[in-house]
Amino acid sequence: MIIGNLNALPLAGLPAALRAILTDPACSLAALQAREDGRWQPEGAAWFCNIGPAATQPRELRHTEYHHQWADIQVILEGEEKMYAGMVSTAQPDDEQRKPDLFITSQAPGSVAMTLNPGDFAVFMPGEPHQALCAVNAPSVVRKAVFKIPKALLEG
């Protein structure tokens, strides 16, 4: 897991592939905030990004998820959200697979809690459990960009 802010990328210690994506002017906070909601994938890119609103909920109502083949970069564009992340895999053979490479586990990650505001981001590598969209004080709507980065791009 990596935590940072789009306006302070040199401090984030990102792997080269992720740094190349987030330093692209099309991925600046202002550029992302100006984009229409929906899926965005630059021509020829192996990664894509989903932009749009989402509702936060009390932590006990949120699921914990992880991926095997994709890393997530979750960027807050508007509002605030609390996220929880684990430092150790919680994967179990009977975890529910809701979509391709989206696994839901009943084990909540308790290692790290963070509150993200506009411009803040969290990177979750393949296998890292995370619980996103948790309300800070009360449920609200946030607008965020979720980048999906294929594992192969991180290994190359």
Side-chain angles (χ1 to χ4, degrees):
M1 173 191 47
I2 300 169
I3 304 165
N5 185 283
L6 291 179
N7 295 318
L9 286 173
L11 301 177
L14 293 166
L18 301 182
R19 188 174 53 251
I21 292 167
L22 293 180
T23 56
D24 186 304
C27 297
S28 71
L29 178 58
L32 291 171
Q33 287 172 325
R35 281 198 175 281
E36 291 186 21
D37 291 348
R39 181 179 164 130
W40 167 57
Q41 184 170 20
E43 187 174 332
W47 58 269
F48 63 93
C49 179
N50 291 313
I51 299 174
T56 66
Q57 297 176 305
R59 181 181 187 193
E60 57 273 9
L61 298 179
R62 296 295 307 151
H63 64 260
T64 299
E65 66 183 61
Y66 61 92
H67 315 281
H68 291 299
Q69 300 302 317
W70 297 88
D72 280 359
I73 305 173
Q74 299 197 19
V75 182
I76 305 302
L77 303 177
E78 296 172 17
E80 65 179 355
E81 142 181 18
K82 192 159 204 146
M83 293 185 190
Y84 295 86
M87 305 301 282
V88 178
S89 174
T90 58
Q92 299 295 315
D94 60 342
D95 286 344
E96 176 188 355
Q97 184 173 2
R98 288 208 182 146
K99 298 180 191 176
D101 203 43
L102 172 64
F103 296 89
I104 307 301
T105 181
S106 60
Q107 299 184 29
S111 301
V112 178
M114 62 205 102
T115 299
L116 287 85
N117 294 289
D120 294 338
F121 65 85
V123 178
F124 302 106
M125 295 300 193
E128 289 183 330
H130 50 285
Q131 188 178 32
L133 291 172
C134 297
V136 174
N137 294 311
S140 64
V141 174
V142 297
R143 185 167 183 256
K144 62 194 294 184
V146 179
F147 291 80
K148 303 298 282 183
I149 315 300
K151 184 177 183 179
L153 190 62
L154 301 169
E155 298 169 345

